[in-house]
Amino acid sequence: MTNNLKKLGLVVVVALALGTVAGAQEPAKAQAFTPIRVQVVVSKYQVEKKTSSLPYTMSINVRSDLNPRSTASIRIGAQVPIMTTAKPGDPPSVQYRDVGTQIDCAANILEDGRFKVDISIDDSSVYSDTGTPQSVAAHLSDRPAFRSFRSSDSVLLKDGQTVQYTAATDKVSGETVRVDVTLTVVK
């Protein structure tokens, strides 16, 4: 029996060294990351004339282990004061409204080397006083008018690829917003 126990003990020691015994923990694996850069370009057009183009770049370390979702966010903007009164004759009070750009980006690496990039964009601003009929009408009441653009979707990209993520036209101002997304693997 002692001979059998010695043999059994030897098997257990070898099995533990190899990590094959039930309940034995495997050595910790190093986290595998793929650094990428995602550039989101928000361009605005009146008819076919580009009126602005703003790039936003985010760096993301995409995990390739069991929890592959990696995220990044950008928040840029200002608070705009708005004069309000509860009733006629009441003194005015000031409230603030956030305007600017908020971009959330999440990326997953796929088995074929492409990346699934989830993007959410919220862009808002005060209509400028450009003399257009829309801006004149917006300021007739001495209250600012706000414009907003919101979009949320996913794109599949490989290293170096650019796609037009979305395009939409504001039915009030006629302004078209186009969003292009480029993914680059950082080497």
Side-chain angles (χ1 to χ4, degrees):
M1 178 158 165
T2 3
N3 206 11
N4 286 340
L5 285 176
K6 285 183 184 176
K7 287 181 184 175
L8 182 61
L10 180 60
V11 170
V12 170
V13 170
V14 171
L16 283 172
L18 296 174
T20 58
V21 173
Q25 294 183 359
E26 291 186 32
K29 293 181 183 177
Q31 295 279 340
F33 292 98
T34 302
I36 63 170
R37 191 165 291 124
V38 177
Q39 184 178 55
V40 177
V41 179
V42 180
S43 300
K44 297 177 182 174
Y45 296 81
Q46 277 294 341
V47 187
E48 288 300 315
K49 181 183 176 193
K50 187 185 287 189
T51 58
S52 72
S53 182
L54 298 172
Y56 303 93
T57 303
M58 294 168 275
S59 295
I60 305 173
N61 287 321
V62 180
R63 294 175 55 173
S64 56
D65 61 1
L66 295 176
N67 185 11
R69 188 171 170 86
S70 303
T71 62
S73 296
I74 290 178
R75 305 284 186 265
I76 188 165
Q79 291 188 329
V80 176
I82 303 169
M83 301 299 286
T84 62
T85 56
K87 296 184 276 183
D90 283 352
S93 64
V94 177
Q95 293 182 347
Y96 289 87
R97 178 170 171 171
D98 290 327
V99 295
T101 303
Q102 298 180 15
I103 301 175
D104 295 307
C105 184
N108 297 56
I109 190 165
L110 304 177
E111 289 181 13
D112 62 1
R114 294 182 303 160
F115 294 84
K116 178 181 179 233
V117 181
D118 302 320
I119 301 171
S120 177
I121 300 172
D122 188 343
D123 185 68
S124 63
S125 63
V126 178
Y127 272 118
S128 64
D129 191 11
T130 60
T132 65
Q134 291 86 3
S135 68
V136 171
H139 292 288
L140 285 177
S141 65
D142 247 2
R143 308 258 185 214
F146 296 90
R147 58 157 291 285
S148 67
F149 169 80
R150 290 183 182 91
S151 178
S152 183
D153 203 355
S154 299
V155 291
L156 297 177
L157 296 164
K158 57 186 175 184
D159 184 20
Q161 186 176 11
T162 299
V163 297
Q164 188 169 86
Y165 162 76
T166 192
T169 302
D170 184 328
K171 67 180 184 179
V172 174
S173 69
E175 177 181 70
T176 298
V177 177
R178 295 181 190 161
V179 179
D180 296 306
V181 179
T182 302
L183 182 137
T184 307
V185 174
V186 179
K187 297 179 172 103

